[in-house]
């Protein structure tokens, strides 16, 4: 088991480097990977709550709060009270936030295309199948 753990950790470090996730700015933006990921999740959801984001991203509430405050200060997100529950804020992207969301989403696609571009169709199919297997196996753990 010790060798497997070592190899899984080695793969994690490898893939983090492949996607350039440790760079201070995500995909050529002025935002960290975490900030970009929060922006993407809001964009994909259309509107959501901070609690939804905390659950989706498995993030600390105070870290999420600081991230949302920064994105709001930068004019990328807006918060408004929910008509159903005044204690809950609905979070949406502003026009500027939507534009950045679309840019990050497109650049993310392009990053994967560049990564796979040098592989054969067979290799791409194998990598895709392996990633699906990892996702299926590990997502079962979240439901327990």
């Amino acid at each position: 088991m010790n060798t497997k753990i070592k190899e899984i950790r080695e793969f994690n470090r490898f893939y983090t480097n492949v996607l350039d996730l440790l760079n201070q700015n995500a995909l050529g933006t002025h935002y960290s990977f975490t900030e970009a990921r929060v922006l993407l999740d809001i964009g994909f959801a259309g509107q959501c709550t901070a609690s939804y984001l905390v659950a989706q991203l498995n993030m600390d509430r105070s870290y999420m709060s600081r991230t949302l405050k920064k994105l709001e200060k930068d004019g990328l997100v807006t918060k408004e009270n929910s008509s159903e529950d005044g204690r809950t804020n609905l979070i949406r992207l502003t026009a500027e936030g939507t534009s950045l969301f679309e840019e990050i989403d497109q650049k993310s696609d392009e990053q994967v295309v560049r990564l796979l571009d040098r592989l054969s169709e067979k290799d791409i199919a194998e990598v895709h199948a392996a990633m699906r297997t990892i996702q299926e196996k590990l997502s079962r753990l979240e439901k327990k």
Side-chain angles (χ1 to χ4, degrees), residues 34 38 48-70 79 87-89 91:
T34 301
V38 169
C48 61
T49 64
S51 294
Y52 168 83
L53 292 168
V54 165
Q56 281 293 110
L57 300 174
N58 194 26
M59 252 175 95
D60 176 75
R61 284 189 177 283
S62 60
Y63 186 29
M64 178 61 72
S65 178
R66 289 190 304 274
T67 301
L68 289 171
K69 280 182 181 151
K70 181 179 188 309
K79 295 180 193 175
R87 299 169 296 171
T88 302
N89 287 317
I91 303 163

Side-chain angles (χ1 to χ4, degrees), residues 92-110:
R92 291 187 178 94
L93 296 179
T94 63
E96 187 178 347
T98 299
S99 178
L100 184 58
F101 160 76
E102 290 168 352
E103 177 187 337
I104 292 170
D105 192 39
Q106 180 181 345
K107 285 182 175 183
S108 295
D109 286 352
E110 291 168 358

